[in-house]
């Protein structure tokens, strides 16, 4: 069996999917994308495909080593994301050939269902409260919210009070037996993160996510030391080497993205490294159906898994949603805030290939916003 074709599809709202086909007709799917840079990743996927065509798809680790190390220049979000999608597709093929889910090939399941959280938004406490109530009514036991939109390097007392008021509204709806996480999105300076987290601590958030930018990971230990709130990071870290300083700094929750951090192969290794530091895993996944399917395979087989992000119905999904590209959307049915362990071979989903082909190139590449402070200087988003 040999790989004979690699195709990519840019589909709404902002995803890139890849299709890997063998001469036996077995097809694997992956989701290699950097949000806002889909076309760049698409080029990288086709460059890497040159290393795969004509080769045995079952040599997954050998292919991963070749794709990540055969060039003098390595790593970074674009290359790691391109590798991730192809790696997902190869695991999908292997599972289909052997007739088992990917997590069975990774050691077998350690849980039968996967806890997930849902995103909520809103600028006012009442808006956030209403959004949380909807998620609670849908059975979710955990939600995540942004701490703020554009923010100053050092927040005013009023800005801090607004953040806390929204968090208080969320806790009031959830009660003491459900959880909420707060995403700082790297928008805060180290000093500002320490200040704001101190005010959030009495509300007992599940974790605070990305309190500082990844390039300031050497400062995240200062945030950890200043609070008892669990600190999470990792959506913009792409390898074990990237994660190691964060683990050494004492983070509580690692958030590798299955479509950014080298795919299933590398995230499984990141999870194992995290376990040696007593760090839990909460895979980042504001993306599409294949990224979520790959995340669930990891969630089912790693002992230090905490909770899964998912983007069904998220505000980013304009023009299409996660379930629109699946023939079998029931695989992502939530029961009491949990997803059942997937049992179908490979990634456990059936992609609607016709829908994917029809949607390819139907919208311009998504771009992130450009924010500026009142003085005109650039602001992190």
């Amino acid at each position: 069996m040999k790989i004979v074709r690699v195709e990519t599809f840019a589909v709404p709202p902002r995803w890139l999917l890849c299709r890997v086909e063998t001469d036996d007709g077995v097809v694997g799917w992956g989701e290699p994308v950097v949000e806002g840079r889909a076309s760049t990743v698409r080029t990288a996927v086709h460059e890497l495909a040159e290393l795969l065509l004509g080769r045995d798809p079952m040599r997954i680790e050998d292919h991963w080593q070749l794709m990540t190390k055969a060039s003098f220049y390595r790593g970074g979000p674009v290359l790691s994301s391109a590798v991730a999608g192809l790696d997902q597709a190869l695991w999908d093929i292997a599972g289909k050939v052997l007739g088992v889910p990917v997590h069975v090939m990774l050691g077998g399941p350690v849980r039968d269902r996967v806890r997930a959280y849902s995103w909520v938004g809103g600028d006012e406490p009442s808006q956030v409260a209403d959004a949380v109530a909807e998620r609670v009514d849908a059975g979710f036991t955990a939600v995540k919210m942004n701490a703020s939109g554009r923010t100053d390097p050092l927040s005013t007392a009023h800005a801090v009070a607004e953040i806390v008021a929204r968090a208080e509204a969320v806790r009031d709806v959830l009660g003491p037996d459900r959880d909420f996480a707060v995403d700082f999105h790297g928008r805060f300076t180290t000093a500002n993160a320490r200040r704001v987290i101190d005010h959030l601590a009495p509300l007992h958030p599940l974790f605070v996510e990305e309190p500082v930018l990844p390039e300031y990971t050497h400062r995240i230990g200062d945030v950890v030391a200043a609070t008892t709130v669990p600190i999470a990071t990792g959506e913009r870290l792409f390898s074990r080497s990237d994660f190691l300083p964060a683990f050494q700094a004492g983070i509580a929750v690692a958030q590798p993205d299955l479509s950014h951090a080298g795919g299933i192969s590398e995230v499984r290794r990141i999870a194992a490294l995290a376990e040696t530091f007593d760090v839990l895993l909460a895979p980042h996944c504001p993306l599409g159906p294949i990224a979520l399917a790959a995340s669930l395979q990891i969630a089912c087989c790693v002992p230090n898994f905490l909770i899964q992000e998912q983007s069904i119905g998220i505000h980013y999904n304009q023009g299409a949603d996660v379930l629109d590209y699946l023939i079998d959307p029931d695989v992502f049915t939530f029961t009491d805030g949990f997803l059942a362990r997937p049992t179908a071979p490979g990634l456990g989903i059936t992609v609607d290939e016709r829908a994917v082909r029809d949607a390819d190139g139907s919208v311009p590449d998504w771009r992130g916003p450009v924010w500026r402070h009142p003085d005109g200087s650039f602001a992190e988003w």
Side-chain angles (χ1 to χ4, degrees):
M1 182 170 56
K2 299 185 183 302
I3 298 168
V4 296
R5 184 176 294 107
V6 176
E7 298 175 275
T8 53
F9 308 91
V11 302
R14 55 176 189 160
W15 305 327
L16 183 71
L17 311 183
C18 71
R19 179 184 183 275
V20 178
E21 183 178 350
T22 73
D23 56 356
D24 287 350
V26 182
V27 172
W29 288 88
E31 193 170 333
V33 67
V34 172
E35 300 92 306
R37 295 290 182 266
S39 293
T40 311
V41 178
R42 191 173 201 172
T43 298
V45 169
H46 288 287
E47 290 176 347
L48 291 172
E50 298 172 9
L51 302 173
L52 301 179
L53 293 172
R55 299 186 178 274
D56 180 358
M58 303 295 281
R59 295 175 61 94
I60 299 172
E61 182 60 28
D62 187 49
H63 294 317
W64 192 92
Q65 295 291 330
L66 190 65
M67 289 190 291
T68 58
K69 300 177 180 178
S71 173
F72 186 76
Y73 296 98
R74 306 175 180 182
V78 171
L79 179 60
S80 295
S81 298
V83 170
L86 290 166
D87 181 77
Q88 292 166 6
L90 294 177
W91 280 105
D92 194 25
I93 288 172
K96 290 172 179 176
V97 168
L98 298 175
V100 296
V102 169
H103 65 267
V104 170
M105 295 185 287
L106 296 173
V110 296
R111 58 185 51 82
D112 294 318
R113 59 180 191 162
V114 173
R115 190 186 184 203
Y117 62 81
S118 185
W119 266 94
V120 294
D123 295 328
E124 299 296 329
S126 61
Q127 294 173 327
V128 177
D130 289 344
V132 173
E134 290 180 4
R135 297 295 82 203
V136 170
D137 289 343
F140 284 93
T141 63
V143 297
K144 188 167 78 175
M145 59 186 288
N146 279 326
S148 69
R150 185 186 64 196
T151 189
D152 294 323
L154 293 175
S155 296
T156 63
H158 177 70
V160 174
E162 286 186 325
I163 294 169
V164 174
R166 287 191 293 270
E168 287 174 339
V170 171
R171 173 54 73 199
D172 286 345
V173 175
L174 291 174
D177 297 322
R178 299 184 183 91
D179 289 309
F180 77 99
V182 185
D183 191 351
F184 279 30
H185 225 272
R187 295 168 183 162
F188 291 62
T189 61
T190 304
N192 205 30
R194 291 172 65 176
R195 169 184 283 173
V196 174
I197 292 171
D198 186 54
H199 289 274
L200 292 174
L203 299 172
H204 203 85
L206 180 65
F207 56 76
V208 163
E209 176 175 334
E210 210 176 35
V212 297
L213 286 165
E215 52 262 44
Y216 302 134
T217 297
H218 60 283
R219 294 299 312 277
I220 204 167
D222 296 329
V223 179
V224 171
T227 183
T228 60
V229 175
I231 300 300
T233 197
E235 67 186 81
R236 290 186 275 186
L237 303 177
F238 311 113
S239 67
R240 286 159 287 168
S241 298
D242 287 350
F243 270 94
L244 182 58
F247 293 157
Q248 292 170 326
I251 67 165
V253 181
Q255 298 175 294
D257 190 306
L258 270 290
S259 282
H260 297 332
I264 291 168
S265 295
E266 182 68 353
V267 172
R268 182 64 185 89
R269 290 187 282 257
I270 291 169
L273 181 61
E275 191 179 1
T276 68
F277 285 89
D278 196 23
V279 173
L280 299 169
L281 197 79
H284 180 257
C285 188
L287 296 171
I290 302 170
L292 180 56
S295 297
L296 292 182
Q297 297 299 330
I298 288 292
C300 287
C301 69
V302 300
N304 52 328
F305 170 79
L306 174 65
I307 197 166
Q308 178 62 53
E309 181 174 29
Q310 54 82 33
S311 71
I312 297 172
I314 198 173
H315 59 286
Y316 290 124
N317 295 350
Q318 298 179 7
D321 210 335
V322 174
L323 305 182
D324 294 345
Y325 299 111
L326 296 179
I327 289 176
D328 56 341
D330 288 348
V331 71
F332 293 146
T333 297
F334 294 96
T335 303
D336 299 328
F338 288 80
L339 289 160
R341 178 172 64 88
T343 57
L347 293 178
I349 58 173
T350 303
V351 173
D352 187 339
E353 186 171 325
R354 181 172 181 177
V356 170
R357 291 186 181 278
D358 288 347
D360 182 30
S362 60
V363 294
D365 281 356
W366 180 86
R367 292 287 185 265
V370 175
W371 286 351
R372 293 192 178 275
H373 293 298
D375 65 1
S377 62
F378 174 74
E380 297 288 348
W381 73 274

